[in-house]
Amino acid sequence: MVDRSVLSRIRMPRRAVLLAATATAATAGCAVPTPRRRGPVPDPAPGLAIASTRRALVMQLLAHPDDDLYFMNPDTREALAAGTPLVCVYLTAGEADGLNKVPGAPRPVPDRAAYSSSRHQGLRQAYAELLGLDRFTPWRKSVVALHGGHRAEVNVLADGVRQVELVFLNTAMHTGRGRPGLPSLWRDRRLVLRTVVADDSPLERAGSYTYESLIDVLVGLLEQYRPTVVHTLDPDPDLQFSSEYERRRDSEQRGYSDHADHTAAGCFAWAALIRWVAGATGRGEPVPGFAVASFRGYYNRHWPKNLPPAVLERKAAHLVPYGGAPDWECGNPSGCGDYNVGGDRPLTNRKGWVRSTHHRYPGPRAQVASGPDGRLTAYGVLGLRAVRWRESAPGSGVWNAPDDLGGGPLAPVLGGAATADGRQMLFGLRFAALGGHGADNEREIVLLEQRSPGGPFLAWRGLGNPAAGGDHGRRIGTPVAVTAPDGRVHLFVRNAEKGLSTRMRDTATGRWSGWHDMGGGEVQDGLTAVVDTAGCVHVYAAGHHAVHHWTQDVPGADITARTQLTGSPVPAHAPGALSAPDGSVELYYRPAARAGIVVVRAAPAPAPRFGGYGPVTTAASPGGPVLLGRSAEGRIQLRTAEGIAVRSRGPVALDGTALHLGAADGRPAVVGFGPDAAPWVWRP
């Protein structure tokens, strides 16, 4: 395959193109050379200034009222409980068919404006309780002017330093011609989508949006609030082939495991983020310093549930005030919540959406390395671009200002590996093209590699995509790489068929093989790769019923699918894996819907006590396995031979903390990011 510059294929609006083309002076002193470009790009070459972190703020870009409660908690709750201000932007009115049905009661008369108002009231009740206030606490309602003369209702509630703002753009869920509103707006350049005025809203006049104006309004909100973390829905849901009856019953779009509105909202959100960065850098401003977390939606229904009882109970409890009840005295004449999901119905609903929280791009947010002087170096994604932080002094836990390595727009998780001679390699999932109204929508895996150990980087290089078509290519996962003792670098990604694809770089020639489908059954994204003491590469992933395994018969042989690891509980996430001294590989993972931990090893042994939820990372140390995970309360915890340490100070951790045991003193170091999008180090 012919390599090409990865910064040459994005399609952007003309205005962003012109802005981006002017930004060339900010690259002086950069360690990454400017790649050759055959056309304008949204993100200029590496070496740009990065905006200093401001006050932490989380912004959620959502399709419907309740998407955040179903799909983004407990992440949202943990950030809010830690005092991080929250802004929720709802793209649709959520009016659906206008039926706010009470189970067991007669069918009501459809009223879209009233149903939208009732769902807004449910959100106010839910977030009031999340702030620790009475569910009927009054909110401050107002109308704000947005970019291009648009207007929206905004509700604000504060409790000391903690604050929630709800922004209702209220686009109609249907076009009036039998088509879904937001997905049609994404596809149809000519469409003008009206808005819905909810009952009891201070906004008295309806408006309308086009594709361009909606993205411009979202960019305007991003520029106004300057969030440090942005939550989005999944822009590229899994392929899912169901009967027409099942699809309609489960409210999923044809061929994919999510609601069509969720996918469109995710695409609009990512398009706005890309345009925000392009506009800022095109004007010569610093790269906005924000991190992104994208969340799966109806995907949750198709895979084992990953929240244990205590975490699930807390998450489901936040949907009780949202669902409300018709006999509540909330002060809203149109209704006191979304009665369709009131009471215990989120838990009894067979779809089980509330029982999981899945990140679209799982894995550690930081790739961590130790320098010769003992200082840590962390690589991550900030402002959709690859960034490097260096520790100011060995063991200080203080980071120098970040260095921009470019490469955007990137998904939030990088893969990493080191060559046999010690050169750092970073692998990213890049939004190579993202456009509505029939424009290209492509993803690709990209590589950034050091020229020499500890030295400058080469230009970004494209490694393509295991799928031939753009639609299947959008479904790939985050890259994971490992270097074998023979020097070969093995790269793995989950593909659209939910199996694994790989490329391998030869040691002698430095050339990459083509993409190869490794076979095996369906697995979730979030892969684990490890090399055993014999030099064989192993890959593990969580399937529907068991952990799936790929490995080599002997070092240097092809990696092939093996028998599923049956006989152990169903996994909720990909396992942590470490090479045992006896040549075997030990696995550590949380079972579906349970709080404990499962250990799979050659010699049976009791599982260590390590409660909580979410993925488990492990590494070998002289004292035995080190385990990193999250407690039931959302705190980061580390288990060593001395016991369990819980990180109780510092900013709450975003998803994807990294475990590093390569420091000279041998002490484990945990590197993560807080709601301010800044890295932290914890050495318990």
Side-chain angles (χ1 to χ4, degrees):
M1 113 181 277
V2 178
D3 290 327
R4 62 185 182 277
S5 166
V6 303
L7 295 179
S8 64
R9 297 172 54 243
I10 191 84
R11 281 74 167 172
M12 291 297 295
R14 176 175 173 80
R15 180 178 60 179
V17 164
L18 293 175
L19 289 171
T22 64
T24 57
T27 60
C30 177
V32 185
T34 304
R36 290 188 306 166
R37 290 182 277 170
R38 294 176 296 189
V41 297
D43 291 350
L48 300 183
I50 299 173
S52 59
T53 302
R54 300 190 179 189
R55 179 175 73 105
L57 185 143
V58 175
M59 176 178 281
Q60 303 188 140
L61 301 178
L62 308 142
H64 313 118
D66 78 5
D67 288 344
D68 35 2
L69 303 176
Y70 268 109
F71 307 123
M72 297 177 178
N73 268 335
D75 295 44
T76 302
R77 178 191 62 80
E78 290 165 1
L80 192 58
T84 309
L86 176 67
V87 178
C88 303
V89 182
Y90 302 93
L91 274 62
T92 79
E95 82 285 7
D97 56 7
L99 295 175
N100 197 5
K101 297 186 291 287
V102 179
R107 178 185 176 94
V109 176
D111 189 332
R112 288 178 168 82
Y115 186 32
S116 178
S117 175
S118 191
R119 296 186 76 175
H120 294 178
Q121 176 62 27
L123 284 173
R124 290 189 288 268
Q125 292 164 178
Y127 277 110
E129 288 200 2
L130 277 163
L131 286 172
L133 303 173
D134 183 87
R135 64 179 56 155
F136 301 136
T137 301
W139 290 60
R140 186 174 75 251
K141 298 181 181 180
S142 63
V143 175
V144 297
L146 304 174
H147 179 89
H150 295 275
R151 293 158 64 82
E153 177 185 346
V154 175
N155 298 172
V156 181
L157 182 63
D159 178 37
V161 297
R162 299 187 303 156
Q163 178 170 294
V164 176
E165 294 188 48
L166 310 178
V167 181
F168 300 112
L169 301 186
N170 262 37
T171 64
M173 289 182 64
H174 302 281
T175 64
R177 291 176 286 178
R179 293 191 297 163
L182 208 59
S184 298
L185 191 67
W186 178 258
R187 293 190 299 264
D188 189 348
R189 180 187 299 272
R190 299 162 299 176
L191 181 65
V192 177
L193 184 63
R194 63 182 177 84
T195 64
V196 174
V197 177
D199 283 352
D200 200 40
S201 170
L203 184 65
E204 299 177 350
R205 186 175 68 254
S208 62
Y209 282 96
T210 64
Y211 167 90
E212 287 291 338
S213 66
L214 181 56
I215 295 180
D216 281 342
V217 161
L218 294 177
V219 172
L221 290 168
L222 291 166
E223 291 177 339
Q224 174 187 344
Y225 286 100
R226 309 288 297 184
T228 48
V229 176
V230 180
H231 287 176
T232 84
L233 294 166
D234 183 358
D236 301 320
D238 276 2
L239 300 175
Q240 187 68 43
F241 301 102
S242 305
S243 69
E244 187 65 11
Y245 168 76
E246 291 174 323
R247 183 188 71 80
R248 290 180 175 274
R249 181 189 60 178
D250 295 339
S251 306
E252 295 189 346
Q253 57 193 305
R254 185 174 286 107
Y256 305 99
S257 62
D258 210 349
H259 194 291
D261 286 357
H262 297 167
T263 304
C267 288
F268 272 115
W270 274 90
L273 291 170
I274 292 170
R275 189 175 295 186
W276 181 27
V277 175
T281 55
R283 294 188 296 269
E285 300 171 4
V287 177
F290 64 93
V292 181
S294 295
F295 295 82
R296 299 281 195 179
Y298 290 0
Y299 172 101
N300 294 355
R301 152 152 168 50
H302 300 281
W303 292 93
K305 308 305 181 261
N306 64 14
L307 296 181
V311 180
L312 172 61
E313 181 180 359
R314 191 162 53 238
K315 178 180 178 181
H318 300 318
L319 277 153
V320 172
Y322 168 75
D327 58 352
W328 286 10
E329 296 181 0
C330 65
N332 185 38
S334 298
C336 297
D338 186 351
Y339 306 148
N340 298 280
V341 298
D344 65 351
R345 282 182 288 284
L347 287 173
T348 58
N349 187 324
R350 63 171 185 79
K351 300 171 186 176
W353 300 328
V354 75
R355 296 179 176 273
S356 295
T357 299
H358 284 287
H359 294 93
R360 174 60 177 86
Y361 308 106
R365 285 181 174 266
Q367 293 295 327
V368 186
S370 294
D373 60 357
R375 292 191 301 165
L376 294 181
T377 298
Y379 300 90
V381 176
L382 195 64
L384 309 183
R385 298 163 67 85
V387 170
R388 175 180 56 200
W389 291 267
R390 288 192 175 101
E391 201 174 15
S392 61
S396 68
V398 177
W399 299 99
N400 290 332
D403 300 318
D404 170 49
L405 303 179
L410 297 171
V413 172
L414 298 174
T419 61
D421 60 357
R423 289 175 290 121
Q424 180 68 49
M425 305 177 76
L426 300 173
F427 300 87
L429 170 58
R430 182 173 184 267
F431 284 71
L434 178 64
H437 42 73
D440 291 335
N441 204 342
E442 300 174 2
R443 313 287 178 264
E444 65 180 338
I445 302 299
V446 292
L447 166 65
L448 182 65
E449 179 180 357
Q450 278 183 322
R451 186 185 301 273
S452 59
F457 285 87
L458 300 167
W460 283 91
R461 179 181 180 184
L463 296 180
N465 190 306
D471 185 68
H472 276 219
R474 291 173 55 186
R475 320 298 158 186
I476 61 174
T478 53
V480 172
V482 66
T483 303
D486 61 9
R488 297 181 180 182
V489 179
H490 297 265
L491 170 66
F492 308 99
V493 297
R494 181 186 189 245
N495 56 40
E497 285 69 36
K498 306 169 194 171
L500 262 60
S501 292
T502 184
R503 289 190 76 173
M504 185 270 294
R505 191 169 84 163
D506 183 73
T507 309
T509 65
R511 293 179 179 175
W512 287 90
S513 69
W515 284 103
H516 171 65
D517 189 333
M518 298 170 62
E522 292 187 345
V523 297
Q524 298 192 66
D525 200 15
L527 313 175
T528 303
V530 67
V531 180
D532 66 22
T533 54
C536 290
V537 175
H538 298 257
V539 186
Y540 299 92
H544 290 284
H545 307 290
V547 173
H548 292 238
H549 180 210
W550 293 259
T551 191
Q552 301 166 307
D553 290 324
V554 295
D558 290 340
I559 300 174
T560 58
R562 301 304 163 98
T563 305
Q564 298 179 32
L565 304 181
T566 57
S568 297
V570 174
H573 302 275
L578 60 84
S579 178
D582 63 1
S584 65
V585 176
E586 297 180 356
L587 303 181
Y588 298 80
Y589 68 87
R590 299 199 188 281
R594 286 165 50 188
I597 193 169
V598 172
V599 180
V600 180
R601 52 165 61 111
R609 182 176 61 87
F610 199 62
Y613 74 98
V616 175
T617 304
T618 185
S621 75
V626 176
L627 305 179
L628 172 67
R630 195 176 289 266
S631 72
E633 294 74 30
R635 294 287 185 178
I636 298 302
Q637 56 179 348
L638 191 72
R639 181 183 177 91
T640 63
E642 287 73 36
I644 296 178
V646 179
R647 181 175 174 268
S648 57
R649 295 184 179 182
V652 64
L654 301 184
D655 60 290
T657 50
L659 174 62
H660 179 69
L661 268 69
D665 59 7
R667 292 172 57 202
V670 178
V671 177
F673 294 84
D676 58 357
W680 47 259
V681 183
W682 178 46
R683 293 180 172 93

